[in-house]
Amino acid sequence: MTKKVAVILSGCGVYDGAEIHESVIALLRLDQRGAQVQCFAPNIAQLHVINHLTGEEMPESRNVLVESARIARGNIKDLREAKVEDFDALIVPGGFGAAKNLSDFAVNGADCTVQPDVLALGQAFAAAGKPVGLICIAPSLAARFYGEGVLCTIGTDADTAAALEQMGASHEECLVGEIVEDAQRKLVTTPAYMLAQSISEAASGINKLVDRVLELASA
């Protein structure tokens, strides 16, 4: 039976939104596996806008939903419309948008808060026992979704791992092409561009994550 998967995007571009490679790889793998996908994004202003050529902040404002629509080719909905009962699984790609727009982890670290619509949907999936895949820096959301003791990975970065553990997560080091699964909570995480040196390296772990999330959704 076709699995329905919600994907939360956080803008468009690694430095201020969703990581484009990670998002496209996840969407491609979901399509290859026959999943029915709906993209969502919060209808809010980005924390800031970064010039991806220079890395400098730009004096303008952009909307997370509008920017995410670039990746989704316009087929995207306001996150407030997402209902857990309509989907079998949830996947969140990384990029700084996950830590700047979906939460304020990039600014406040272990003291971060999660954007209310993101938090509500993530906690709803956790409560329903439906599988979730978090990619790259998106596992920074895990402790807020699941609470104390949730197992996840962001790869090998000691400072980021320490912040996740301070939030209540249990961090496991992981190679770029591998995944970490919290079997009890049906949470799957992979480092992607927290470690990847190429798009193919990022894809190796993301493809495994998507495959496992769909397996859990079918179990």
Side-chain angles (χ1 to χ4, degrees), residues 41-59:
N43 187 7
I44 57 173
Q46 292 183 185
L47 173 66
H48 55 203
V49 179
I50 298 295
N51 180 325
H52 280 63
L53 189 61
T54 65
E56 296 175 356
E57 188 171 346
M58 299 172 68

Side-chain angles (χ1 to χ4, degrees), residues 14-167:
V14 57
Y15 299 124
D16 57 12
E19 213 295 322
I20 296 171
H21 291 178
E22 292 176 0
S23 302
V24 173
I25 291 164
L27 292 169
L28 173 61
R29 189 61 170 180
L30 285 164
D31 188 63
Q32 289 174 333
R33 293 296 307 273
Q36 183 179 328
V37 177
Q38 179 61 58
C39 292
F40 294 94
N43 187 7
I44 57 173
Q46 292 183 185
L47 173 66
H48 55 203
V49 179
I50 298 295
N51 180 325
H52 280 63
L53 189 61
T54 65
E56 296 175 356
E57 188 171 346
M58 299 172 68
E60 60 180 270
S61 177
R62 297 189 186 182
N63 179 279
V64 175
L65 177 59
V66 172
E67 291 301 296
S68 298
R70 294 174 179 270
I71 296 174
R73 294 175 59 88
N75 182 18
I76 193 166
K77 295 181 178 180
D78 188 323
L79 186 56
R80 285 175 288 190
E81 297 181 43
K83 295 181 174 61
V84 65
E85 57 267 26
D86 294 338
F87 296 96
D88 301 297
L90 172 68
I91 290 178
V92 186
F96 275 102
K100 291 179 176 180
N101 304 325
L102 303 187
S103 75
D104 57 11
F105 181 79
V107 176
N108 293 317
D111 295 322
C112 74
T113 59
V114 178
Q115 196 275 337
D117 299 322
V118 176
L119 183 63
L121 190 65
Q123 289 181 336
F125 270 87
K130 293 184 175 183
V132 174
L134 301 176
I135 298 167
C136 189
I137 193 61
S140 60
L141 303 168
R144 299 294 187 251
F145 286 178
Y146 293 93
E148 196 83 20
V150 61
L151 179 66
C152 61
T153 191
I154 47 80
T156 59
D157 185 81
D159 290 342
T160 308
L164 265 60
E165 295 205 326
Q166 193 177 337
M167 292 166 67

Side-chain angles (χ1 to χ4, degrees), residues 1-5 33-37 88-89 213-214 217-219:
M1 190 171 69
T2 300
K3 295 302 172 187
K4 297 180 179 179
V5 181
R33 293 296 307 273
Q36 183 179 328
V37 177
D88 301 297
V213 166
L214 291 175
S218 299

